[in-house]
Amino acid sequence: MLTDLEENIEIILPVGGLRSKLEQAKETGRPLIIKLGFDPTAPDLHLGHAVVLKKLKQFQELGHQVIVLVGSFTARIGDPTGKNKARKPLSQEKIADNSATYIAQLAKIIDMSKTKVVFNGDWLDKLDFSEVIQLVSKVTVAQLMQRHDFHKRFTENQPIAMHELIYPILQGFDSAHIKSDIEMGGTDQLFNCTVGRQLQESFGLDPQVVLCMPLLKGLDGKEKMSKSLHNTIGLLDKPNDMFGKAMSIPDTLIPDYIDLTTDFTRSEKTLLKSRMEMGENPMEVKKLIAHNLVCQYHDQQAATDAADFFAKQFQQKSFDDKSFEEVSLPLAKAQLGPVAKLVDLCHFLKKDLSKSAVRRLIAEGAVQIDSTKCINPDLAVDLKTSFRIKLGKRGFFKFV
């Protein structure tokens, strides 16, 4: 039977390892050491990070010791990105700034008074060169090339710098140093975490169990949530922004967001997903997700206010004038003529969108003129009188 701790975990290595560690902790009376490492490469946390943090919170509530390991050394050499190039190393000052911001945000999910924060520069900086050589000798090149992105780049004749090959070994040494029982991460960290198991064994330690959580896809519905891809819901987002972004989740991702981002009970999650399967309007379910998220990271009143704001601005069409960006009607007329096709007018307003993207928005009913939905991209729009237009979910324009 699935336990609460096992819920949502995508990979447990070795199979049965988590239950074995928990039984060991019960028998010995020693709390497990749960490791989560991060390199402070960006200052803001988002819901993708929260997937792992929520699991840490569960361990913490059961009395186990959570250790947040800040890669103060490894961030200076650059973590392999999982893509086709190395990550740019960070300066010591940037590492310090990002670390402080990260740690402050962790308190939104886990209890920092019960969390131990360590910095791997405290021990990695002290290794002399002979110790480094001894450390890297414990892992073979063949083993490192099993990492997917290394293998892919090698076969495609893309450069792989030596420091990238050393990075997983340093992360593994961190596990040996703090004697972690469990290492947490996303599925993209599986290889690095397994190196930790290998190095712990080489030092005569009981190898850690690796728990990998699923990677949450971002608002684009395609790539994992990442600030660099501008597809995130940030833990520090304002309530109205958080609610609005949650309402833009692609319908196909609703079950994932129910499971991975909300704090509904297991039975409540099951009920919500069954309502979706029975044909309930996805928007109604997304409202519940959005409300839940704002409650988690702000409070109940903020969630209620954000829901009211969304209803007023996006559903009831009772837009106040401040919601609209003013656009010069004479300027539009000069560029488009006295009568313009709807697709051309929308492209004029949102030049960052291609005409094909604009046509899709129109076809989806996402364009309104004075509260009237327009689905014909070739509709002739008279530019002689003032009017208001809604384009997509956040584009509000008023011609004056």
Side-chain angles (χ1 to χ4, degrees):
M1 181 179 177
L2 185 69
T3 67
D4 288 340
L5 275 178
E6 292 171 310
E7 185 180 14
N8 293 328
I9 297 176
E10 187 161 330
I11 299 172
I12 300 177
L13 184 72
V15 176
L18 174 57
R19 297 193 181 199
S20 177
K21 287 285 187 182
L22 292 171
E23 290 171 3
Q24 181 184 22
K26 185 177 180 180
E27 291 172 0
T28 63
R30 179 184 69 83
L32 297 175
I33 296 174
I34 317 296
K35 171 195 173 189
L36 174 66
F38 70 86
D39 278 352
T41 53
D44 298 322
L45 298 180
H46 51 66
L47 292 185
H49 298 111
V51 173
V52 176
L53 293 173
K54 284 174 173 291
K55 188 58 60 178
L56 277 184
K57 181 181 180 180
Q58 288 183 271
F59 279 104
Q60 197 171 55
E61 289 174 342
L62 291 172
H64 300 292
Q65 175 64 65
V66 168
I67 295 183
V68 172
L69 190 148
V70 181
S72 56
F73 181 93
T74 42
R76 300 204 307 270
I77 70 171
D79 178 12
T81 64
K83 299 181 180 178
N84 62 356
K85 59 182 179 180
R87 192 190 301 275
K88 184 179 179 180
L90 299 179
S91 67
Q92 189 67 55
E93 181 180 6
K94 189 65 175 175
I95 290 170
D97 290 343
N98 288 354
S99 297
T101 307
Y102 264 50
I103 291 169
Q105 291 173 76
L106 293 176
K108 283 187 166 289
I109 299 178
I110 61 177
D111 186 345
M112 294 306 295
S113 69
K114 299 178 181 178
T115 302
K116 185 176 181 180
V117 179
V118 297
F119 298 82
N120 66 7
D122 290 348
W123 54 87
L124 293 179
D125 271 320
K126 295 176 182 177
L127 294 178
D128 62 33
F129 194 64
S130 64
E131 290 173 315
V132 173
I133 295 298
Q134 291 173 22
L135 177 61
V136 300
S137 71
K138 297 178 183 295
V139 181
T140 69
V141 173
Q143 289 171 324
L144 291 172
M145 293 309 295
Q146 291 176 17
R147 177 168 162 153
H148 174 72
D149 56 311
F150 287 161
H151 179 74
K152 184 174 185 293
R153 286 161 63 186
F154 181 76
T155 56
E156 294 176 354
N157 292 318
Q158 296 290 333
I160 304 173
M162 285 299 299
H163 76 278
E164 295 184 83
L165 297 176
I166 293 174
Y167 185 98
I169 302 174
L170 297 179
Q171 180 174 329
F173 182 70
D174 290 341
S175 294
H177 183 83
I178 68 172
K179 299 180 175 62
S180 53
D181 295 296
I182 294 173
E183 181 164 13
M184 296 284 306
T187 52
D188 56 347
Q189 287 295 310
L190 175 61
F191 178 84
N192 289 5
C193 294
T194 57
V195 174
R197 282 177 52 83
Q198 178 182 340
L199 287 179
Q200 284 179 319
E201 283 189 296
S202 72
F203 284 103
L205 301 171
D206 188 21
Q208 66 187 12
V209 171
V210 178
L211 304 183
C212 293
M213 301 299 293
L215 300 179
L216 182 69
K217 287 186 178 179
L219 300 180
D220 57 2
K222 299 176 182 179
E223 302 289 342
K224 76 172 184 177
M225 188 169 283
S226 169
K227 191 173 181 182
S228 64
L229 298 176
H230 309 288
N231 64 356
T232 67
I233 299 177
L235 302 191
L236 297 181
D237 280 349
K238 295 179 180 178
N240 290 348
D241 290 338
M242 183 175 285
F243 195 100
K245 287 181 181 180
M247 293 302 297
S248 71
I249 297 167
D251 292 353
T252 54
L253 294 185
I254 289 176
D256 288 345
Y257 275 72
I258 290 173
D259 282 335
L260 301 177
T261 71
T262 70
D263 62 358
F264 294 125
T265 65
R266 191 185 298 181
S267 59
E268 288 171 336
K269 291 177 179 180
T270 300
L271 177 60
L272 280 178
K273 286 183 285 186
S274 67
R275 285 166 57 177
M276 284 284 296
E277 293 169 358
M278 294 174 65
E280 180 158 344
N281 186 341
M283 178 171 282
E284 297 306 313
V285 178
K286 283 193 273 192
K287 286 179 186 176
L288 296 174
I289 295 173
H291 191 277
N292 183 275
L293 291 176
V294 179
C295 280
Q296 286 184 69
Y297 300 107
H298 296 280
D299 54 47
Q300 176 71 38
Q301 186 60 53
T304 300
D305 292 344
D308 290 343
F309 176 84
F310 181 85
K312 178 182 177 183
Q313 298 290 69
F314 297 92
Q315 291 184 285
Q316 297 174 1
K317 304 184 180 69
S318 57
F319 313 122
D320 59 53
D321 288 342
K322 293 181 181 179
S323 302
F324 289 80
E325 176 185 342
E326 290 191 352
V327 180
S328 169
L329 188 60
L331 176 62
K333 186 176 179 180
Q335 293 195 22
L336 302 173
V339 178
K341 289 184 179 180
L342 180 61
V343 63
D344 295 329
L345 180 61
C346 292
H347 183 60
F348 168 79
L349 294 170
K350 294 283 287 184
K351 292 183 174 60
D352 58 322
L353 293 179
S354 66
K355 283 196 175 182
S356 59
V358 170
R359 286 182 180 275
R360 285 195 296 271
L361 284 175
I362 295 171
E364 292 167 358
V367 175
Q368 298 176 22
I369 295 180
D370 286 337
S371 299
T372 299
K373 187 179 296 184
C374 305
I375 59 173
N376 178 9
D378 296 322
L379 175 71
V381 181
D382 190 341
L383 300 183
K384 294 180 181 178
T385 58
S386 298
F387 60 92
R388 297 183 299 175
I389 183 169
K390 174 187 174 186
L391 175 56
K393 296 182 177 180
R394 293 181 174 81
F396 299 89
F397 304 95
K398 178 171 64 173
F399 283 95
V400 294

